[in-house]
Amino acid sequence: MLTIDERELKEQLFTQNAIDFHDFVTKYDEEMIPVMKARGYTCIHSMERTVAFTFGEFTFRRRRWKKGDKWVVPVDEKLGLKKNVRFSWEFMYQIARLSTMMPYDKVTQVIQMTYHITITKPTVVQAVKLCDKLLEERAAYRFYEESNSQGKQKVDVIYIEGDGVMVKACDSDTENRHYDLSHFVVHTGSHKVGSNRFELKDKKEFVALDNRLIREQVLDYLYNTYEITDQTLLITNSDGGHGYTPYVFKEIAKTLKIKRHEHFWDEYHVNQKLKSFFKPYSEELLDRAFQAIKQHDKGKLRTILDTTEALVSTEEELEAFEEFKRKLLNNFQYTKPAELRGFSHAGIGIMESQHRKITYRMKKRGMYWTVWGAETMSRIIVLSYEDKLRDLFFGSWREDYEKMVELESLSAGAIKTKLNQIEREYSLHRLSKRESKRALWTNK
C-alpha cells in the first residue's frame, strides 16, 4: 500500500475549502436580499473582490446595496472585512503575532508553508503598523474607560520595577545607532501556580523609547487602578541607572501620597558589580563583601574597602576604586535585604526575566530596527506575552471606541452647525442694520 503524499491531500482540502466558502457567500448573499429590501435598500450591482483568509485566498462576488448616501455590503460585514483590504482581520492578527516570534522574512515563509498564501515583508510591516494604529486608538479609549470604571482596586502592596533595554536602531534625523527602550513592570506580588513556578499577580508592563512619558503612564495607571491608603506599601527596585534612580521612584510615591516606600538597588546588578570589581583581588574579599551586604553592615563593608584600597597599585585602579566605593556607599541603604525590612523578598528582582521576551526577539542575530519599529515591536511583544494582543484586534473595546468616535464627530458636527447658525444670524443682523441705516438716510 502506497502512503498518500500529505501535500496532495492538503491541496485537495484547500480546493474543498474554496467550494465551501463560495457556497457560504452565495447562500448568505441570497438570504440578505429580502432583509435589505425590507430595510429600504436598493441593490445597485454585484462586484468581485479578492481576500486572503487564514483558510485560503479567494475571489468572490457579492451584492452592494444603497439607501440614500449609505452603501452596505452584507457579505463584507458578515466576514468582518473593511473597505479596500486584501487580508482579513484574523489573518492580519496572525501575521502580527508571528512577527513577535521571528524576523519578517521568516514570517512570509511560515505563511506560505502553512496557509498556501504568498505575502511579502511589506505585508508584515503593514500588520505591525496596524497594531501601532490600534495601540493609539486603545490609548485614546483608555480615558473614556477610566471615566466609566466601577472603582479602584484595594491592595496592601504595590511593586514597581524599571530598567532599560538597549537595541540597535537607525533614525534619519540622528547619528545615534543605539536606543534605550524604557521598560517598567507593575504588579501586586507573586503566587504559586505550579509545583515550582510562581506568577506575578495583576502584572502590567509599560515599554517605550521616552522614559519620561512611560513614567507618566505608570503613574497614571497606578492612580486610576489602585486605592491608595495610609497602609499602602510601595516596593520599588532598579539598577539605579539614568531614569531609574531612587529619586524617580520617590517622586512616584510622593505624587501618589504613599507614606511607606521601600526602594531596592537591584540585587542582581549589585552582585554583578561586586563580582566584576573584586575579580582582580582575592576571592575572600568578595565573600566578605557579600556577607557585609547580606548582614547590611556598613562598617564591615568600609573595612573591606579599606583593605582593598591598600592593594591598589596604579592610578587607573585607584580611580576605578574611588568610583566604585562612592556609588556603593552612597546607595548602601538600598541594599538592605527585604527580610531585614520586615517582609519577604518574593516578587522583587523580576526585571531581568521580564526583559527576556524583548531581548530574545529584538537583540543579537544582527537585528537592526527603525526607531518606530523598535518601539512598536516591543509593545506588541509585551501584549502577546500578556495574552492581550488578540483583545487589541477583537476586544469589545473596539465597538465602544467606534461609538465614542461617532459621538465625538456628531458633537463636532453639532458645534459646527451651531457656529454656522450664529454666523448666519450675525450676517443677517449686520444686513438688517445696514438696511435700517439706508432707510433712515432715505427718509432724511
Side-chain angles (χ1 to χ4, degrees):
M1 183 184 295
L2 292 176
T3 304
I4 189 171
D5 188 330
E6 191 171 319
R7 293 172 298 177
E8 293 178 6
L9 180 58
K10 185 177 179 180
E11 286 293 340
Q12 293 174 22
L13 293 174
F14 268 111
T15 302
Q16 187 60 45
N17 270 354
I19 294 170
D20 293 342
F21 176 75
H22 284 103
D23 287 347
F24 167 79
V25 168
T26 302
K27 183 180 178 182
Y28 185 78
D29 209 22
E30 292 291 335
E31 288 176 354
M32 289 303 294
I33 292 174
V35 176
M36 296 306 293
K37 287 182 177 179
R39 293 175 181 172
Y41 284 86
T42 302
C43 180
I44 304 301
H45 52 232
S46 64
M47 292 184 67
E48 282 189 347
R49 73 180 298 182
T50 301
V51 179
F53 300 89
T54 55
F55 47 85
E57 186 172 16
F58 307 109
T59 299
F60 56 96
R61 182 175 291 275
R62 73 277 189 265
R63 292 178 177 84
R64 302 179 77 237
W65 300 77
K66 188 178 183 183
K67 181 171 73 172
D69 294 330
K70 187 178 180 181
W71 286 86
V72 175
V73 186
V75 169
D76 288 4
E77 290 185 353
K78 183 70 173 177
L79 296 172
L81 299 176
K82 303 291 184 181
K83 187 178 179 181
N84 300 326
V85 297
R86 279 197 59 242
F87 307 101
S88 73
W89 205 245
E90 176 70 29
F91 190 72
M92 293 301 279
Y93 158 73
Q94 294 196 17
I95 292 175
R97 180 73 185 272
L98 286 170
S99 74
T100 67
M101 306 175 190
M102 60 191 76
Y104 293 173
D105 58 342
K106 298 295 183 185
V107 174
T108 64
Q109 294 174 34
V110 169
I111 292 293
Q112 170 64 37
M113 184 175 68
T114 56
Y115 297 150
H116 267 215
I117 298 172
T118 301
I119 64 170
T120 59
K121 284 176 66 175
T123 304
V124 184
V125 174
Q126 183 183 344
V128 175
K129 285 183 176 179
L130 177 58
C131 286
D132 187 47
K133 178 176 177 291
L134 291 174
L135 284 165
E136 288 182 3
E137 292 177 354
R138 188 72 179 84
Y141 174 74
R142 182 173 55 85
F143 294 103
Y144 167 81
E145 190 177 35
E146 287 168 356
S147 64
N148 289 274
S149 62
Q150 298 300 311
K152 298 180 181 180
Q153 185 178 345
K154 293 181 180 179
V155 293
D156 297 324
V157 187
I158 300 171
Y159 297 78
I160 309 174
E161 297 203 18
D163 195 10
V165 180
M166 191 69 70
V167 295
K168 291 181 180 179
C170 56
D171 188 352
S172 58
D173 296 332
T174 68
E175 293 297 320
N176 196 4
R177 289 294 179 267
H178 292 86
Y179 287 82
D180 199 38
L181 286 166
S182 293
H183 189 194
F184 282 83
V185 178
V186 175
H187 64 94
T188 59
S190 63
H191 59 162
K192 205 170 185 179
V193 293
S195 57
N196 293 308
R197 195 167 72 89
F198 287 84
E199 188 177 81
L200 299 178
K201 295 187 292 185
D202 305 315
K203 187 180 73 169
K204 176 70 175 176
E205 295 187 60
F206 304 82
V207 60
L209 285 168
D210 191 326
N211 180 271
R212 184 176 294 277
L213 174 64
I214 211 73
R215 278 153 43 193
E216 289 175 358
Q217 290 178 7
V218 170
L219 189 61
D220 188 51
Y221 171 77
L222 292 170
Y223 177 80
N224 288 290
T225 305
Y226 298 111
E227 182 180 325
I228 306 299
T229 68
D230 291 344
Q231 285 71 47
T232 302
L233 169 62
L234 177 65
I235 298 175
T236 59
N237 184 75
S238 72
D239 66 355
H242 182 67
Y244 313 97
T245 61
Y247 172 78
V248 165
F249 296 96
K250 285 178 181 178
E251 282 298 300
I252 292 175
K254 182 179 177 182
T255 304
L256 294 172
K257 298 180 180 178
I258 294 176
K259 293 186 177 180
R260 188 183 178 193
H261 170 216
E262 297 284 349
H263 182 73
F264 289 83
W265 187 6
D266 185 64
E267 184 180 4
Y268 172 81
H269 287 88
V270 173
N271 291 345
Q272 289 296 104
K273 286 183 181 297
L274 288 171
K275 289 177 182 177
S276 176
F277 177 76
F278 283 103
K279 190 174 182 179
Y281 308 104
S282 70
E283 193 170 328
E284 182 186 354
L285 285 173
L286 175 61
D287 292 339
R288 289 170 60 192
F290 276 135
Q291 192 65 27
I293 295 291
K294 185 178 180 180
Q295 296 174 353
H296 199 61
D297 190 331
K298 196 171 186 178
K300 184 180 287 188
L301 184 62
R302 284 185 183 276
T303 301
I304 296 164
L305 291 172
D306 290 343
T307 303
T308 307
E309 187 175 9
L311 302 174
V312 172
S313 57
T314 66
E315 286 292 330
E316 291 77 10
E317 281 186 49
L318 181 62
E319 186 177 342
F321 170 81
E322 292 292 346
E323 174 64 21
F324 173 77
K325 178 182 178 180
R326 180 190 61 78
K327 187 167 186 177
L328 187 59
L329 293 179
N330 285 349
N331 293 281
F332 183 76
Q333 59 179 311
Y334 305 119
T335 66
K336 187 176 183 179
E339 290 76 11
L340 297 182
R341 305 192 199 195
F343 49 86
S344 169
H345 187 270
I348 304 172
I350 50 85
M351 205 67 218
E352 289 302 315
S353 62
Q354 299 302 313
H355 274 338
R356 201 167 294 127
K357 55 181 169 284
I358 296 174
T359 56
Y360 179 77
R361 171 65 180 93
M362 300 185 65
K363 295 188 75 172
K364 302 178 182 178
R365 304 194 304 277
M367 290 289 176
Y368 223 99
W369 301 84
T370 63
V371 173
W372 166 84
E375 183 168 49
T376 304
M377 180 53 64
S378 64
R379 296 169 72 189
I380 300 173
I381 290 170
V382 167
L383 279 178
S384 182
Y385 270 78
E386 290 179 341
D387 204 21
K388 294 179 180 177
L389 184 58
R390 187 169 188 83
D391 182 73
L392 184 68
F393 277 77
F394 301 101
S396 59
W397 74 271
R398 296 280 308 141
E399 293 180 11
D400 294 338
Y401 174 78
E402 288 172 3
K403 289 176 183 176
M404 182 185 76
V405 171
E406 187 177 351
L407 284 172
E408 285 182 352
S409 64
L410 286 173
S411 299
I415 292 170
K416 189 174 181 180
T417 302
K418 186 66 177 176
L419 288 172
N420 290 337
Q421 182 183 349
I422 293 170
E423 189 177 346
R424 284 197 302 272
E425 289 176 355
Y426 180 68
S427 298
L428 289 171
H429 176 68
R430 290 182 63 190
L431 179 63
S432 177
K433 285 184 70 175
R434 285 199 300 270
E435 289 177 347
S436 297
K437 285 183 179 180
R438 191 180 297 112
L440 181 62
W441 180 258
T442 302
N443 290 337
K444 283 184 177 181

